Amino acid sequence: MRITILGSAAGGGFPQWNCNCRNCAGQRDGSLRAKARTQSSIFVSGSTSADGVLFNASPDILEQIRSHPALQPGRAVRDTAIAGVVLMDGQIDHATGLFMLRERGRPLPLWCTDPVEEDLSTGNPVLKVLGHYCGVDRHRIALDGAAFEVPGAADLSFRAVPLSSKAAPYSPHREAPVPGDNIGMLISDRRSGRSAFYAPGLGEITPALFDLMCGADAVLVDGTFWTDDEMIRLGLSKKTARDIGHLPQSGAGGMIEWLDKLPASTRRLLIHINNTNPILDEDSPERALLTQHRIEPCEDRMTLDL
Ligand code: MLT
Ligand code: MN
Ligand code: ZN
């Protein structure tokens, strides 16, 4: 399978439009070696087909499609390589790009859990609004680990796992989580037998989840924050990383500790990186520490062939 990183940043992107933190200001004025990044999304296709699945529809989707010619194969007057969209949650950075796909000729094939379907029909009723344009052909993602396929995305099969993270701030379950607010996905290619685990929003790793991660050839996991109090220290928020559903990389029980315990052959990647995260600065000690632990921060336009 091929995984294309369309957007490797968290909500807001990098640099963020209104932010003058060290990273955003330094990226803008060129004083920092750091690559700009769009918001959280990947495209996955199997070994025998160019058509595949869009995971999350970010507000930057149109720019992302333009910078990836493979997503526009040009076989007909209206065409796309996006066979279907799968949502990991109903957060703004993962769902508002759906509005931008409204010109589709037929209803948009969309896979999401029941709580996400509810949030996207009430608090942020994008699915209702799309009913006035192309419409949505919604498929339910079950939380029992049953495998599903997306017609048109040859060779691929998917298994969802409920995660502890956070529903969007507009959701009635923001502070009263229900299973399915956030999911991770095991993506398998039946032809090659290879698999990847994708979880851009991940607040806690349980033993069962870690077992699942151990079986994947690559993991692409929550890279939002380096420290739990990153936003508090910068005076940008009163909430910790864990408060908003993101496991920080550093510290006891942090992402680096978990990734260190994976089998030696597992490729470890961080995705959904917040603009405040010091790993974005390619010359930072935090970035050097990641390299030491064989952990790669995702960049836009990166591809992984598994
Ligand atoms: C998150 O991942 O915590 C949210 O996407 C943040 C946001 O909406 O900006
Ligand atoms: Mn997000
Ligand atoms: Zn910033």
Side-chain angles (χ1 to χ4, degrees), residues 179-202:
D181 279 338
N182 306 83
I183 55 171
M185 195 67 69
L186 189 68
I187 307 166
S188 309
D189 186 319
R190 279 188 306 274
R191 201 166 281 263
S192 68
R194 310 268 281 168
S195 64
F197 177 70
Y198 174 57
L202 176 53

Side-chain angles (χ1 to χ4, degrees), residues 5 25 35 52 56 113 132 137 157 233 254 306:
I5 310 301
K35 294 187 181 73
N56 300 320
T113 64
H132 299 276
D137 176 19
S157 90
R233 260 202 258 177
L306 296 175

Side-chain angles (χ1 to χ4, degrees), residues 7-288:
S8 52
F14 176 58
Q16 180 175 302
W17 68 280
N18 65 342
C19 191
N20 289 296
C21 74
R22 178 181 180 274
N23 280 350
C24 290
Q27 202 286 333
R28 239 179 247 121
D29 70 16
S31 62
L32 221 64
R33 219 155 57 85
K35 294 187 181 73
R37 285 164 164 85
T38 61
Q39 293 167 87
S40 190
S41 179
I42 63 172
F43 180 76
V44 185
S45 52
S47 19
T48 61
S49 169
D51 288 0
V53 172
L54 180 73
F55 281 89
N56 300 320
S58 111
D60 301 317
I61 182 72
L62 298 182
E63 181 190 339
Q64 292 167 345
I65 292 172
R66 271 181 215 117
S67 45
H68 290 86
L71 289 184
Q72 180 43 266
R75 298 162 294 199
V77 64
R78 291 278 165 92
D79 195 18
T80 179
I82 301 170
V85 182
V86 174
L87 299 180
M88 310 307 285
D89 55 48
Q91 294 263 15
I92 297 280
D93 56 347
H94 288 160
T96 42
L98 292 173
F99 282 124
M100 302 307 132
L101 303 177
R102 67 191 177 285
E103 292 90 358
R104 242 188 104 91
R106 279 171 293 128
L108 179 71
L110 179 80
W111 279 256
C112 64
T113 64
D114 284 342
V116 168
E117 200 258 350
E118 188 193 320
D119 280 347
L120 296 180
S121 303
T122 54
N124 175 17
V126 49
L127 304 186
K128 291 267 179 288
V129 175
L130 281 176
H132 299 276
Y133 297 85
C134 58
V136 174
D137 176 19
R138 188 257 170 167
H139 304 259
R140 178 173 181 269
I141 296 181
L143 299 175
D144 58 4
F148 69 95
E149 290 174 17
V150 171
D155 310 322
L156 296 177
S157 90
F158 310 96
R159 281 176 53 200
V161 46
L163 298 178
S164 164
S165 187
K166 271 281 152 81
Y170 69 78
S171 168
H173 3 108
R174 172 75 168 176
E175 299 308 332
V178 300
D181 279 338
N182 306 83
I183 55 171
M185 195 67 69
L186 189 68
I187 307 166
S188 309
D189 186 319
R190 279 188 306 274
R191 201 166 281 263
S192 68
R194 310 268 281 168
S195 64
F197 177 70
Y198 174 57
L202 176 53
E204 193 191 334
I205 299 183
T206 61
L209 177 63
F210 185 69
D211 273 357
L212 185 93
M213 288 167 64
C214 284
D217 296 290
V219 298
L220 294 92
V221 290
D222 193 325
T224 315
F225 299 113
W226 179 256
T227 42
D228 200 32
D229 62 353
E230 189 165 313
M231 297 292 277
I232 299 172
R233 260 202 258 177
L234 290 166
L236 300 175
S237 171
K238 290 188 166 53
K239 293 191 170 159
T240 65
R242 284 182 172 88
D243 284 340
I244 59 168
H246 300 293
L247 183 67
Q249 281 108 60
S250 65
M255 192 64 85
I256 296 175
E257 270 191 9
W258 282 105
L259 296 181
D260 275 345
K261 291 188 268 196
L262 288 170
S265 59
T266 313
R267 203 160 159 191
R268 308 115 203 257
L269 299 110
L270 297 174
I271 196 156
H272 188 277
I273 305 169
N274 198 56
N275 60 78
T276 51
N277 192 326
I279 64 172
L280 289 170
D281 172 359
E282 293 168 25
D283 300 311
S284 66
E286 292 84 355
R287 180 66 163 262

